[in-house]
Amino acid sequence: MRFFIFPLLLFCSSLLLAQSPVKIQGQVLESNSRQPLEFATVMVGNTDTKQPIAGTTTDENGRFSFEAEGNNLYVEVSFIGFISQQINELSIQNGLADLGVILLKEDNQTLDEVVVRAEKSQTEFKLDKRVFNVGKDLSSTGAGALEVLNNVPSVTVNIEGEISLRGSSGVQILINGKPSVLASDQNNALGTITADMIDKIEVITNPSAKYEAEGTSGIINIVLRKEEKRGLNGSVTINTGTPHNHSVGLSLNRRTEKFNLFSQIGIGHRSLPRVDENINRDLVTNTTIISDGENFRNETFYNFILGTDYHITPHDVITLSGHFAYEIESQPSDTDFEILDANEQVTSAWRRSETTEATNPKWQYELNYKKDFKDHKEHQLLFSALGNFFGKDLSSEFENTVTAGNVERNNQQTRSDFKEARYTFKLDYTKPFSKNITLEAGAQYVFQDVSNDFAVNDLVDGDWVKNLNFTNIFEYDQEVFGVYSTGAYEDDRFGLKLGLRLENTELNTLLVNTNEANEQSFYNFFPSAHASYKFSDVVSVQAGYSRRVRRPRLWDLNPFFNIRNNFSIRAGNPNLLPEFTDSYEITSIFILGKASFNFGIYHLYTTDVIERVSIFENSVNVTTPLNIGTNRATGIELNGKYSPLKWLSLNGDFNYNYFQRNGTFQDANFDFNADQWTSRLTAKFKLPAQIDFEVTGNYRSRFETVQGITSRN
């Protein structure tokens, strides 16, 4: 009996060993360009029966990994428009069959017959961000990036181009994951980016420690499109709108086996009208000054991008690109002034007309090196060096025309020579230690050098005389050095990511003519934590925490102001300190048939809040930013999409927050509680002849500030 059992056990053991799972992995690339092929089909079958056993599709990097049982195996890789490749001999070592790089060649006969068009879903949820693809779901109509952003959930853009995230303007705008002069707050710099240049927009309300800590309400990362089709190809887009908002965009691309040459050209014109009304009442003398005016910002812009990717090896790529933009501005305005006495009778009146011309040259150049390691698809090293320059040569003339009473004409001229240079060096390293565990580490150095030469001339007895009270050179230098590390664990249901960032900031300002200097230096830690859990295919929950900073911007620090309205002016504060925010949020995601939506609750606690405070003296209202107390804001957010019919889809966005302000300034108490909310609804109709019709409505409530109420609807 023992002689029978022993051979039987030996046979069963060998059978089990023969059927042990084999892990099969590799990467699929296009043979000429060495670019990854996403969604390529990888099938493993039995060599004897020719029956399929298992299969998968490649990810965005062309990589695949799955398990199959058996010894006599073959692998077939296929993709529409390419010649399939079959691998019959697998080298299996320690249960692993690493197929390495598999190259697929284009099938010219098939390419002419088959056209495949696919639209990415509107929203992709990652552990620490939401990704909105610019496709049919997310409207890309309009002249520029601002119009696209205004269709992104959680994001609002007012008529002046100010971008808010969840109702807060303390948002950091990045281009391709890095600071850029194209995304600065210098007079709607995003206007030079046309909608067809954008691939996707990432909304990061609680950024991980990997990102620069700037931006108390979060980060919006605009990822530009880079066409990589084989051969020579291109596209032309034309947009028009009202008030005047027109642009033409041209994209050209040429790809060979080693090089990918890409270029984009954009030309456009826009007009941004604005109506201002200010009432200054002096409660001591009972006099009132009323100003009512209309002004325009007319912009004509030219935009040119040229760059190339050089594929040193299938795993090493160098990218060199340059971006040149040029804006021509004109800002005509007319403002009517009236001075009323205690009996509300007009004692004097005049019209102040402005003629402003400006040219804004912008340069950006970037060098990137990316290395993909062979052992894992996410094992990467990325180095980038980025240089930016922004200039503004502006001149204005102001002429007063008296219409009633006796008023000094007070004609004036201003001149501004503004220059900003910014250099960013960044190193990021990502190392997966297993399928579930990943470590990130890196460093970033940002240097910003700004100079603003501002002068005011008054017309005195027919001669232009420099006004020394408002003439000076303002210099601003800031250096930020940061290092970070994050660790993440993710499986099919649960995800956890922890990180810590350390930043050192050196800030110096100088008023050259008066030799007024201010120096600031500080170290800060910025922790972050993110977690997610997938209850089922239809319900998921995410939670996040991060600490952020809003450093004073140039125009917050620069004491010079626009003299368009001498009775209502804005001035900067060179002694302004940064504000810090601790952000917490929990978001639930639901997918219910034809509907999908997410519901979130968040809380923000901000210290040294930067607020604009108005000081009224001698009938003149001067507004300047100050650090005043703390702010606690708690809010809810709801985003959703519903497609009841094939030809109809609805997208909605609602945000509400309640905030509590506490602070004092010069013995004045600024404690108060208030709320604000925004909503947006978009309906898209698919009509015959591939025509889409879209209707969008939005509402932004008024909200209370430390000294008044701001209406935005």
Side-chain angles (χ1 to χ4, degrees):
M1 186 68 176
R2 285 182 296 177
F3 290 102
F4 175 76
I5 294 176
F6 180 75
L8 181 62
L9 292 173
L10 196 63
F11 172 77
C12 292
S13 299
S14 63
L15 184 62
L16 290 172
L17 289 173
Q19 296 300 319
S20 60
V22 176
K23 183 178 180 181
I24 302 172
Q25 67 181 29
Q27 184 182 26
V28 182
L29 303 179
E30 199 273 329
S31 62
N32 289 322
S33 68
R34 294 295 201 273
Q35 292 300 304
L37 286 177
E38 186 178 5
F39 300 120
T41 301
V42 183
M43 186 273 293
V44 61
N46 185 277
T47 304
D48 299 326
T49 64
K50 301 300 181 182
Q51 294 297 315
I53 297 174
T56 187
T57 58
T58 58
D59 61 16
E60 59 185 6
N61 296 309
R63 297 184 182 273
F64 63 88
S65 176
F66 65 105
E67 293 184 347
E69 295 184 351
N71 285 328
N72 298 322
L73 303 176
Y74 75 94
V75 173
E76 183 174 286
V77 183
S78 60
F79 190 71
I80 295 178
F82 289 79
I83 301 174
S84 300
Q85 186 173 147
Q86 185 169 307
I87 303 171
N88 296 312
E89 296 182 2
L90 304 184
S91 176
I92 304 175
Q93 297 181 358
N94 299 323
L96 175 65
D98 190 347
L99 305 183
V101 176
I102 303 170
L103 302 177
L104 294 187
K105 295 182 179 180
E106 292 184 68
D107 187 345
N108 294 327
Q109 295 179 349
T110 306
L111 282 176
D112 294 335
E113 300 172 0
V114 180
V115 177
V116 178
R117 297 186 183 274
E119 279 295 327
K120 295 182 180 179
S121 61
Q122 178 189 6
T123 309
E124 298 177 46
F125 289 93
K126 303 296 181 69
L127 183 58
D128 57 352
K129 61 187 172 184
R130 286 176 291 163
V131 181
F132 298 91
N133 296 289
V134 179
K136 289 186 178 179
D137 284 340
L138 182 59
S139 174
S140 60
T141 59
L146 294 175
E147 286 82 359
V148 178
L149 283 173
N150 211 25
N151 283 319
V152 175
S154 306
V155 180
T156 54
V157 183
N158 65 17
I159 194 172
E160 296 177 335
E162 182 183 15
I163 301 169
S164 301
L165 182 58
R166 286 178 172 171
S168 173
S169 59
V171 57
Q172 168 86 328
I173 309 295
L174 303 179
I175 302 293
N176 293 333
K178 292 176 286 293
S180 171
V181 70
L182 301 177
S184 69
D185 57 352
Q186 305 295 340
N187 292 328
N188 190 19
L190 282 176
T192 60
I193 300 177
T194 54
D196 62 297
M197 295 167 58
I198 303 174
D199 179 40
K200 57 187 176 182
I201 295 173
E202 298 176 343
V203 176
I204 314 170
T205 51
N206 259 318
S208 72
K210 178 179 181 178
Y211 295 93
E212 183 182 0
E214 180 69 33
T216 51
S217 64
I219 291 174
I220 297 175
N221 181 33
I222 301 173
V223 181
L224 299 183
R225 189 187 308 275
K226 185 168 63 176
E227 186 61 73
E228 294 190 352
K229 294 179 182 178
R230 185 184 176 187
L232 178 64
N233 52 83
S235 64
V236 177
T237 60
I238 300 175
N239 296 289
T240 187
T242 184
H244 293 296
N245 198 345
H246 321 288
S247 69
V248 177
L250 171 65
S251 297
L252 291 175
N253 184 80
R254 170 69 178 175
R255 197 182 76 180
T256 63
E257 182 174 354
K258 288 286 188 179
F259 285 94
N260 180 43
L261 183 65
F262 53 92
S263 63
Q264 293 174 329
I265 300 173
I267 301 173
H269 175 79
R270 67 175 58 86
S271 180
L272 302 174
R274 176 177 173 177
V275 175
D276 291 317
E277 183 178 357
N278 292 282
I279 301 175
N280 295 353
R281 290 191 176 94
D282 191 325
L283 300 181
V284 177
T285 62
N286 291 323
T287 59
T288 302
I289 298 177
I290 299 176
S291 62
D292 186 2
E294 182 180 25
N295 61 78
F296 294 85
R297 189 169 76 220
N298 303 316
E299 297 177 345
T300 301
F301 65 87
Y302 306 88
N303 183 60
F304 180 67
I305 295 177
L306 179 64
T308 183
D309 300 319
Y310 174 58
H311 297 267
I312 306 172
T313 71
H315 302 282
D316 299 88
V317 181
I318 290 180
T319 301
L320 180 64
S321 63
H323 191 156
F324 173 73
Y326 191 77
E327 294 176 348
I328 302 174
E329 290 184 28
S330 65
Q331 298 181 28
S333 73
D334 288 302
T335 305
D336 292 316
F337 293 85
E338 290 182 339
I339 298 181
L340 282 64
D341 60 19
N343 298 319
E344 296 189 356
Q345 298 297 314
V346 176
T347 59
S348 57
W350 68 97
R351 166 168 289 192
R352 185 171 176 84
S353 300
E354 173 189 358
T355 303
T356 293
E357 304 289 341
T359 56
N360 309 324
K362 305 173 185 178
W363 292 277
Q364 176 174 304
Y365 42 89
E366 182 174 4
L367 173 66
N368 281 323
Y369 168 71
K370 180 182 179 183
K371 181 175 182 60
D372 294 317
F373 295 89
K374 298 180 181 179
D375 60 333
H376 195 282
K377 63 180 181 180
E378 299 293 340
H379 191 185
Q380 294 179 346
L381 177 69
L382 178 64
F383 170 77
S384 65
L386 178 68
N388 290 297
F389 173 81
F390 173 80
K392 178 181 283 289
D393 185 2
L394 181 146
S395 61
S396 302
E397 290 192 8
F398 300 88
E399 181 178 357
N400 289 359
T401 303
V402 179
T403 56
N406 185 17
V407 181
E408 185 179 353
R409 294 194 62 186
N410 195 28
N411 291 348
Q412 294 177 300
Q413 290 180 339
T414 65
R415 172 193 54 78
S416 181
D417 183 11
F418 177 86
K419 296 177 181 178
E420 176 186 10
R422 183 185 182 108
Y423 306 95
T424 303
F425 301 91
K426 190 176 183 183
L427 180 67
D428 296 297
Y429 177 70
T430 304
K431 169 63 177 176
F433 288 93
S434 67
K435 179 182 178 181
N436 307 113
I437 300 176
T438 302
L439 176 69
E440 295 176 308
Q444 177 176 282
Y445 172 73
V446 180
F447 174 69
Q448 188 176 8
D449 182 16
V450 179
S451 175
N452 185 36
D453 186 352
F454 184 79
V456 175
N457 293 324
D458 297 322
L459 186 62
V460 180
D461 297 329
D463 296 323
W464 290 107
V465 179
K466 182 176 292 186
N467 189 325
L468 298 180
N469 293 325
F470 302 137
T471 299
N472 213 321
I473 299 174
F474 180 71
E475 294 185 351
Y476 165 94
D477 298 320
Q478 178 175 273
E479 296 179 69
V480 180
F481 177 73
V483 294
Y484 76 91
S485 180
T486 69
Y489 172 86
E490 286 189 84
D491 57 27
D492 294 336
R493 286 189 175 272
F494 176 71
L496 178 66
K497 187 174 186 179
L498 303 175
L500 181 65
R501 187 181 187 94
L502 170 64
E503 288 190 351
N504 168 240
T505 303
E506 303 285 342
L507 174 64
N508 301 299
T509 64
L510 174 65
L511 289 170
V512 176
N513 295 359
T514 55
N515 198 31
E516 298 176 51
N518 180 39
E519 298 181 0
Q520 298 182 31
S521 177
F522 40 88
Y523 288 87
N524 300 106
F525 286 97
F526 300 96
S528 66
H530 298 83
S532 66
Y533 187 78
K534 184 178 181 181
F535 291 96
S536 66
D537 290 337
V538 298
V539 181
S540 300
V541 174
Q542 296 175 328
Y545 161 77
S546 66
R547 181 169 173 80
R548 310 289 298 165
V549 63
R550 179 192 174 191
R551 299 181 183 89
R553 298 168 297 178
L554 168 69
W555 301 115
D556 292 326
L557 300 169
N558 190 349
F560 299 119
F561 49 82
N562 191 314
I563 60 173
R564 175 177 296 157
N565 187 335
N566 296 95
F567 295 93
S568 181
I569 61 179
R570 290 185 178 184
N573 176 10
N575 299 311
L576 203 62
L577 299 175
E579 65 177 33
F580 294 89
T581 296
D582 291 281
S583 174
Y584 310 81
E585 70 175 333
I586 298 178
T587 303
S588 54
I589 304 159
F590 303 89
I591 302 175
L592 305 173
K594 297 180 180 180
S596 62
F597 64 93
N598 64 287
F599 174 77
I601 301 175
Y602 59 90
H603 177 76
L604 304 173
Y605 175 65
T606 305
T607 58
D608 290 325
V609 179
I610 298 176
E611 282 280 6
R612 292 195 173 273
V613 176
S614 296
I615 301 174
F616 188 78
E617 187 176 1
N618 297 327
S619 298
V620 177
N621 184 52
V622 179
T623 303
T624 188
L626 298 170
N627 295 106
I628 299 180
T630 63
N631 185 67
R632 290 176 172 86
T634 301
I636 60 173
E637 183 178 37
L638 177 65
N639 314 123
K641 178 186 177 183
Y642 178 53
S643 301
L645 302 169
K646 291 183 178 180
W647 51 269
L648 173 64
S649 64
L650 302 172
N651 289 275
D653 182 29
F654 176 80
N655 179 75
Y656 169 85
N657 70 72
Y658 173 85
F659 56 93
Q660 179 182 2
R661 287 301 317 274
N662 297 101
T664 58
F665 174 70
Q666 293 182 350
D667 298 327
N669 190 305
F670 287 98
D671 295 351
F672 68 95
N673 302 330
D675 61 2
Q676 60 178 325
W677 61 279
T678 63
S679 62
R680 176 171 54 231
L681 180 63
T682 300
K684 178 170 287 188
F685 304 87
K686 294 184 178 180
L687 305 179
Q690 296 184 340
I691 297 174
D692 289 343
F693 178 74
E694 180 179 295
V695 179
T696 300
N698 63 74
Y699 179 86
R700 287 174 284 176
S701 73
R702 65 180 188 174
F703 63 96
E704 190 174 349
T705 64
V706 293
Q707 289 182 306
I709 294 176
T710 299
S711 180
R712 305 187 301 182
N713 59 304

